[in-house]
Amino acid sequence: MNSPSTAAPPDAPLILEIKGASLDDGPGIRTVVFIKGCPLSCTWCHNPESKAVGQELSFDAGKCIRCGECLRVCGEGAVTPGQGPDRSLCSLCLACTEVCPAKALEPVGRAMTPEEVVETVARDLPFFDASGGGVTLSGGEPTLFPTFCGDLLRQFKARGMHTLLETCGHFSWSAFESHILDHTDTVYCDIKLMSPEAHRHHCGVSNSNILSNLEKLLTLHRSGALDVLPRVPLVPGITATVENITAIADHLNALDAHTVQVLPYNPLWHGKIKKMGGHGAAPSESLGRFMDNGEVKHWRGYFEERGLTTL
Ligand code: SF4
Ligand code: SF4
């Protein structure tokens, strides 16, 4: 079973990346702020570098030119040109990332104040205005840091931006209501597995809190107080099974949801895991390749047969 960290997260997250010009994370052209740290531990996570809350170091062997600069500055003797860091020795001082000319070694996560994040995102305001876009908080899991992310969202709204939260749904409802809800226009909430046991096995926690939060979110959606879109990641043999997809479709119908977005599986996380020091091997053939259009259409069909519109 996957086990997420049980340690309490710090108040402020590290920022994994601020990525502009996204067309996949909400309406219009969007800038996505990726928060580092997630309370789930999904086996197929497509952003594995966002799972851990703390600082990490990535090494891309394909970029390394074996210049030896990293070895020269590493006080721990933890890095070998061409092979990268020995993570059991590395103190994460990040000195090597400052001298690596090929950017083969890079820090994963950096501390930023909410004001620094807002100023960075605000440079893209002309694109938001021209396209009906805005800013999306993603991760990792932004709700793991409700005070920080609530402050971010409040400042985004004060600058006239449309705000969207992408969430795994596993959060404290009271913290969400207190800090985030008032400053959020749209929530994309994932629903992955209907079986609590399967959810615990593949994601590290039961789905009970997620299903409870999704129900509350959809109640707000029906009242017109919040725009909410449930999303289902299609993971071959895990979430993309007839039993699970039909159970999710029936559940969404019971909650009077009319629309669902399906997220086709992609295998790029294997390469990312390798850069973080893991082995990166695909556990099966179907998890080692992109899901093709025919497969996606097949899974959409189960939702559409049950009257749901799929995006
Ligand atoms: S400094 Fe960068 S490019 Fe040079 S040997 Fe180290 S990892 Fe490779
Ligand atoms: S982060 Fe610091 S300790 Fe780790 S390999 Fe780089 S220089 Fe060495």
Side-chain angles (χ1 to χ4, degrees), residues 57 70 73-76 78-79 85 89-97 105:
L57 173 68
C70 51
V73 298
C74 180
E76 310 291 342
V79 66
L89 298 176
C90 174
S91 64
L92 289 172
C93 72
L94 303 183
C96 56
T97 66
L105 286 158

Side-chain angles (χ1 to χ4, degrees), residues 59 64-70 81 100-102 104-105:
F59 172 68
C64 177
I65 57 173
R66 298 177 186 244
C67 66
E69 281 298 298
C70 51
C100 176
L105 286 158

Side-chain angles (χ1 to χ4, degrees), residues 22-210:
S22 170
L23 298 174
D24 298 323
D25 296 280
I29 297 173
R30 307 196 72 83
T31 297
V32 186
V33 180
F34 291 92
I35 303 289
K36 189 160 164 38
C38 183
L40 269 55
S41 184
C42 303
T43 44
W44 66 84
C45 177
H46 66 289
N47 283 335
E49 71 279 28
S50 72
K51 282 182 173 180
V53 169
Q55 181 72 62
E56 293 180 277
L57 173 68
S58 78
F59 172 68
D60 185 341
K63 288 184 178 172
C64 177
I65 57 173
R66 298 177 186 244
C67 66
E69 281 298 298
C70 51
L71 184 60
R72 185 178 61 77
V73 298
C74 180
E76 310 291 342
V79 66
T80 305
Q83 293 179 28
D86 177 339
R87 291 166 200 275
S88 67
L89 298 176
C90 174
S91 64
L92 289 172
C93 72
L94 303 183
C96 56
T97 66
E98 286 164 21
V99 298
C100 176
K103 296 205 176 304
L105 286 158
E106 289 200 285
V108 181
R110 66 179 169 128
M112 294 178 79
T113 64
E115 289 70 26
E116 287 171 325
V117 175
V118 172
E119 285 310 315
T120 304
V121 172
R123 291 179 205 143
D124 294 337
L125 266 166
F127 300 107
F128 304 161
D129 292 344
S131 68
V135 60
T136 297
L137 281 194
S138 187
E141 177 53 44
T143 61
L144 199 54
F145 308 92
T147 314
F148 182 96
C149 288
D151 190 20
L152 264 187
L153 290 160
R154 180 186 58 75
Q155 293 194 47
F156 289 142
K157 288 305 295 176
R159 301 286 283 263
M161 299 180 206
H162 176 271
T163 55
L164 190 151
L165 169 73
E166 291 180 342
T167 177
C168 68
H170 190 61
F171 55 77
S172 152
W173 184 262
S174 63
F176 172 79
E177 261 190 327
S178 302
H179 299 285
I180 292 175
L181 177 58
D182 286 350
H183 316 299
T184 304
D185 294 309
T186 300
V187 173
Y188 285 1
C189 183
D190 289 357
I191 175 168
K192 298 178 171 100
L193 289 155
M194 284 306 293
S195 155
E197 295 77 27
H199 201 283
R200 191 183 294 281
H201 179 75
H202 289 291
C203 303
V205 299
S206 167
N207 59 3
S208 57
N209 185 37
I210 294 168

